[in-house]
Amino acid sequence: MSGKISLEFVNHIALLASSACQASCAVAVVHTTMGVCACSEQLLHLQAAIAEFETTDFAIANNLPAHPKFSSNGLVVNHPDFVTFIGLPLTAQDGSYTGTLCVWSTIPIAAEAAGLNLLQSLAVLVGSHLIQAVDYEQLKKVNQKLAQQNENLSAFANIAAHDLRAPLNSMISLAHLLELNYGESLDEEGNEYIRFMGTAASHLSELISGIHSYSKAVDISDEKSIFRLADLVEAVIAVMRLPEHVTVRYDKYDKEINACYAALMQILIQLIDYTITVNIKDSVEISIGFAEEKDHYIIFYKDNGRGIPPAEKENIFDLFKALQKKIKGDETAVTGLAVVKKLAEKMDGAVSVTTGLDRGTEFTIRLSK
């Protein structure tokens, strides 16, 4: 038996059927594609025999031991006390047939018996439960497939990060040595080829780092802890060792929050890295603010950069759009914002952006408490 419906549920159905028939009953559910997906405990070894009772129309068969169709059926032979079969079709919301609720009773049931109305109502309940059970199984299979795909992606990212980065670094070093030691012996075109090789290898190394960071974002534990956001900001500044032309201002709030420290640290690191990468001003200014609502923490991050053109705003959190820009040689393209979005969503939160050309960029991160 596939186990799509629990034995506990089947036992409840059998009790209700027994009450409707005023006799001891056994039940089974036969699905169009899954076959016998549930049955009373005493029928567990008779799945092939049960499947023979599937019917697309309402049916009653009395005196089963002498019935021309069922007298030799294994269920009837093994349980001669069940003398009546009642078949109740199960349907989906669109009316299509999905299976049969089979009921076997120890007493004859007349076609006009009052209990049949109760059994038909019971079939509606079973049909609804069966649909939910099938949907759950399909969803579970999809989740398992996605989990396997994510595992494969993570494994690929690790291979790319460790096995490809070493030869790329060698190519970068080799290009630098060629230019340093033989640059004077080559014409301008030869030196240009060397620079192209070094630049291409550097870009590919950055792409690998971006993919690796994105794949690793899901591995950060979502375990919460209590800390002051000001302490977190100070830790980020210390870890990043920011250049002198970068200033980070933040409120020295005493309020403690309960969130994932590691994920929030990565979010701030990626945002600051983004600002430094795209901001061409001599003085880079960053401000970090905080607010609290009943069900959310809100973190405001604002810089004084060039802002984001309207045409690019929709794609700034898209990892593959950023990678495409990197490949085309766009030095302002960064993959870190995709990491920010992924981490925020992992913490049951969201990130939004307000920006405009020459107006800087403000990111708003809302996190569920």
Side-chain angles (χ1 to χ4, degrees):
M1 188 165 62
S2 59
K4 301 296 187 300
I5 297 178
S6 70
L7 185 59
E8 181 182 8
F9 182 81
V10 173
N11 289 338
H12 286 304
I13 296 301
L15 285 173
L16 292 172
S18 297
S19 177
C21 294
Q22 295 296 301
S24 178
C25 290
V27 300
V29 178
V30 182
H31 189 260
T32 52
T33 57
M34 294 185 297
V36 181
C37 57
C39 66
S40 295
E41 197 165 4
Q42 69 265 43
L43 308 181
L44 287 174
H45 61 295
L46 297 169
Q47 294 181 52
I50 291 172
E52 294 178 9
F53 284 91
E54 183 180 6
T55 176
T56 57
D57 299 311
F58 175 75
I60 298 180
N62 284 302
N63 195 16
L64 292 177
H67 196 280
K69 181 179 179 180
F70 299 117
S71 60
S72 60
N73 180 276
L75 186 152
V76 177
V77 172
N78 283 275
H79 295 277
D81 51 325
F82 291 131
V83 296
T84 298
F85 164 70
I86 306 168
L88 302 125
L90 306 176
T91 57
Q93 290 181 342
D94 61 0
S96 60
Y97 171 76
T98 58
T100 305
L101 171 61
C102 300
V103 180
W104 295 272
S105 169
T106 55
I107 65 170
I109 304 293
E112 64 276 5
L116 292 179
N117 290 331
L118 294 176
L119 288 180
Q120 289 174 332
S121 297
L122 188 59
V124 174
L125 174 64
V126 173
S128 176
H129 185 82
L130 181 60
I131 291 171
Q132 292 177 4
V134 172
D135 289 345
Y136 172 77
E137 288 298 320
Q138 292 175 342
L139 181 61
K140 189 163 68 172
K141 289 180 180 178
V142 170
N143 286 337
Q144 290 171 346
K145 185 176 180 180
L146 288 175
Q148 183 62 52
Q149 290 176 340
N150 285 334
E151 186 177 334
N152 293 340
L153 176 61
S154 180
F156 167 77
N158 284 327
I159 292 172
H162 295 99
D163 294 356
L164 296 182
R165 193 172 290 165
L168 281 173
N169 289 338
S170 296
M171 290 173 62
I172 295 169
S173 299
L174 178 60
H176 178 69
L177 288 173
L178 284 172
E179 186 175 14
L180 184 64
N181 295 325
Y182 299 99
E184 295 181 358
S185 303
L186 298 173
D187 58 15
E188 182 58 31
E189 186 176 8
N191 279 291
E192 189 70 18
Y193 289 156
I194 292 175
R195 285 193 289 272
F196 280 155
M197 181 175 68
T199 300
S202 296
H203 282 162
L204 185 54
S205 181
E206 291 175 7
L207 293 180
I208 291 171
S209 296
I211 294 173
H212 188 243
S213 297
Y214 185 81
S215 68
K216 283 298 181 184
V218 74
D219 294 332
I220 292 180
S221 171
D222 55 2
E223 182 178 347
K224 292 183 177 181
S225 60
I226 298 175
F227 57 90
R228 292 173 65 248
L229 193 60
D231 294 338
L232 173 63
V233 176
E234 291 169 2
V236 169
I237 294 173
V239 167
M240 296 191 71
R241 297 182 180 179
L242 300 175
E244 292 184 358
H245 73 290
V246 178
T247 302
V248 179
R249 296 184 176 88
Y250 56 98
D251 297 332
K252 304 295 192 295
Y253 11 75
D254 294 326
K255 181 71 176 179
E256 291 183 331
I257 67 173
N258 185 21
C260 178
Y261 185 93
L264 264 182
M265 172 175 272
Q266 273 299 311
I267 285 175
L268 292 179
I269 288 175
Q270 297 293 346
L271 288 176
I272 293 173
D273 180 69
Y274 165 79
T275 295
I276 294 174
T277 301
V278 303
N279 198 327
I280 59 175
K281 294 185 177 180
D282 294 334
S283 178
V284 176
E285 298 178 3
I286 297 169
S287 62
I288 301 174
F290 175 74
E292 185 175 4
E293 296 179 346
K294 180 180 178 181
D295 299 319
H296 294 88
Y297 299 118
I298 306 175
I299 299 171
F300 304 100
Y301 176 97
K302 183 174 177 60
D303 65 35
N304 68 332
R306 65 181 179 88
I308 302 170
E312 299 179 14
K313 183 179 175 181
E314 293 183 1
N315 298 322
I316 61 171
F317 297 111
D318 190 315
L319 173 67
F320 297 102
K321 294 288 186 182
L323 292 177
Q324 288 173 356
K325 291 177 66 177
K326 276 277 189 184
I327 292 172
K328 294 177 181 178
D330 188 342
E331 298 294 337
T332 66
V334 293
T335 57
L337 294 183
V339 176
V340 170
K341 183 175 185 291
K342 189 173 185 180
L343 287 172
E345 291 174 347
K346 188 182 180 190
M347 293 189 290
D348 295 326
V351 58
S352 59
V353 61
T354 303
T355 184
L357 283 176
D358 301 320
R359 293 196 294 111
T361 305
E362 181 173 356
F363 295 93
T364 301
I365 301 155
R366 298 176 63 89
L367 303 176
S368 298
K369 289 186 176 180

